[in-house]
């Protein structure tokens, strides 16, 4: 068994969103998977099992609990397999359904493309909308008049909040406690996707992530897929078509997510991934998860918490303005 560390949606180890990848994870019980995820300290770690030609099972654990789906950890897993077995196509059975993943060589590295489960889009009730804007410290006048505030699903539910100007996005400063409470009450387990349209087929986005215990996520694959579903629902882009999503610059981990939007069916999300640090092996199920430091952006005092990935501890913090690595 290998315990790997990757960053997804970047070919630069200093960019993207870090994730753990454990393969093969056959025979690991849930408690051990939870321990490994906590030791790594990343927002999600992917555990691959039942690997067969073209198929595998994939589960995702955050440091505190199992989560149903994680886009960036899926991309990281695809690239890890491409590096070890060559490029190809897989079907990953996940708690939210089957996710198709295709891998390709790209220069000196690899990219992976996931196809989401069938998307859904729905409105946001007026009282929830009011509370959401208040928690984000946004006014109705801050919103893009051409793109409505809705919520979309492509593995996780994400509120999509389009703003009218780049400066509004840049100055986003939300109320962590209020947003955490609202998201818990609505069952939103991932991020809020605050987006600004920079061109006909390009967006700059920021993703507050209180459910993950961090201020802001640097790259969110499921949110990008949900944005693609949202745009198709509104007929706001030509389909089939591609949208480029830039994320992470405000937390110092720039990321690029390619979103291909077909006329029907799942949304395709593509990104690079690169291994960071050194892999660890755990043949007995009792070893530790590597030797590097897993940054866990704390939602606390304006600083980024750190957790040591080799000692079974993970950095934690309290609500505030700190940012760093996390995501869905």
């Amino acid at each position: 068994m290998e315990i790997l560390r990757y960053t997804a949606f970047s070919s630069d180890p200093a960019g993207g969103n870090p994730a753990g990848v454990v393969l093969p994870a056959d025979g690991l019980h849930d408690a051990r998977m939870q321990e490994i995820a906590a030791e790594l300290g990343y927002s999600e770690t992917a555990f691959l099992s039942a690997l067969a030609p073209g198929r595998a099972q994939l589960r995702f654990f955050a440091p505190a609990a199992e989560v149903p789906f994680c886009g960036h950890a899926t991309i990281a897993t695809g690239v890890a397999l491409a590096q070890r077995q060559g490029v190809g196509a897989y079907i990953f059975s996940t708690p939210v359904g089957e996710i198709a993943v295709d891998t390709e060589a790209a220069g000196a590295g690899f990219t992976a493309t996931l196809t989401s489960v069938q998307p859904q889009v729905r409105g946001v009730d007026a009282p929830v909308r009011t509370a959401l804007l208040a928690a984000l410290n946004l006014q109705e006048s801050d919103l893009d008049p051409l793109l409505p505030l809705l919520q979309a699903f492509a593995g996780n539910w994400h509120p999509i909040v389009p703003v009218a100007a780049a400066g509004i996005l840049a100055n986003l400063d939300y109320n962590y406690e209020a947003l955490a409470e609202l998201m818990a009450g609505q069952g939103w387990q991932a991020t809020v996707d605050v987006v600004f349209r920079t061109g006909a087929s390009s967006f700059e986005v920021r993703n507050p992530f209180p459910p993950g215990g961090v201020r802001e996520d640097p790259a969110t694959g499921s949110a990008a897929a949900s944005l693609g579903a949202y745009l198709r629902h509104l007929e706001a882009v030509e389909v089939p078509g591609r949208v480029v999503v830039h994320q992470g610059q405000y937390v110092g981990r720039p990321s690029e997510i390619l979103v291909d939007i077909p006329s029907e069916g799942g949304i395709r999300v593509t990104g690079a991934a690169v291994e960071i640090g050194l892999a660890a092996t755990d043949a007995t199920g009792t070893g530790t998860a590597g030797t590097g430091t897993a940054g866990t952006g704390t939602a606390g005092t304006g600083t980024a918490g750190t957790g040591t990935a080799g000692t079974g501890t993970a950095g934690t913090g309290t609500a505030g303005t700190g940012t760093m690595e996390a995501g869905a």
Side-chain angles (χ1 to χ4, degrees), residues 6-9 16-21 42-46 60 69-78 112 114 209 217-222 257 269 272-273 325-328:
Y6 277 78
T7 190
F9 298 118
N17 197 353
V21 177
Y42 296 137
S43 60
E44 284 92 8
T45 294
F60 309 96
F69 180 65
C70 176
H72 79 278
T74 301
I75 296 294
T77 302
L114 69 84
F209 189 28
D217 199 29
T220 317
S222 65
I257 308 172
V269 172
E325 301 161 4

Side-chain angles (χ1 to χ4, degrees), residues 155-180:
N156 291 308
W157 281 103
H158 296 267
I160 310 292
V161 184
V163 296
I168 297 170
L169 186 71
N171 294 323
L172 181 68
D173 184 19
Y174 74 93
N175 184 318
Y176 181 91
E177 293 85 358
L179 188 59

Side-chain angles (χ1 to χ4, degrees), residues 113-119 154 224-225 227-243 258-269:
T113 300
L114 69 84
T115 301
S116 78
V117 295
Q118 182 65 35
L227 176 62
Y230 163 96
L231 294 170
R232 182 173 69 188
H233 173 79
L234 294 174
E235 300 181 348
V237 292
E238 292 188 8
V239 294
R242 168 172 284 188
V243 169
L258 305 180
V259 182
D260 288 294
I261 308 171
S263 58
E264 60 183 14
I267 306 299
R268 291 171 58 84
V269 172

Side-chain angles (χ1 to χ4, degrees), residues 74-91:
T74 301
I75 296 294
T77 302
V79 168
L81 287 174
Q83 288 179 322
R84 286 154 180 79
Q85 300 189 355
V87 297
Y90 289 89
I91 299 294

Side-chain angles (χ1 to χ4, degrees), residues 112-213:
T113 300
L114 69 84
T115 301
S116 78
V117 295
Q118 182 65 35
Q120 304 174 52
V121 181
R122 65 190 186 197
V124 177
D125 292 340
V128 176
R129 175 193 177 96
T130 299
L132 177 59
L133 292 181
L136 293 172
N137 287 319
L138 294 176
Q139 307 295 321
E140 287 286 348
S141 59
D142 293 327
L143 302 183
D144 187 331
L146 301 179
L147 295 172
L149 192 160
L150 300 173
Q151 56 182 312
F153 172 88
N156 291 308
W157 281 103
H158 296 267
I160 310 292
V161 184
V163 296
I168 297 170
L169 186 71
N171 294 323
L172 181 68
D173 184 19
Y174 74 93
N175 184 318
Y176 181 91
E177 293 85 358
L179 188 59
E181 181 178 356
L182 176 65
M183 295 182 74
Q186 294 301 307
W188 293 332
Q189 297 176 296
T191 65
V192 175
D193 200 18
V194 184
V195 310
F196 172 64
R197 191 168 203 165
T198 56
S201 58
S202 60
F203 285 81
E204 183 79 33
V205 308
R206 299 182 70 175
N207 273 241
F209 189 28

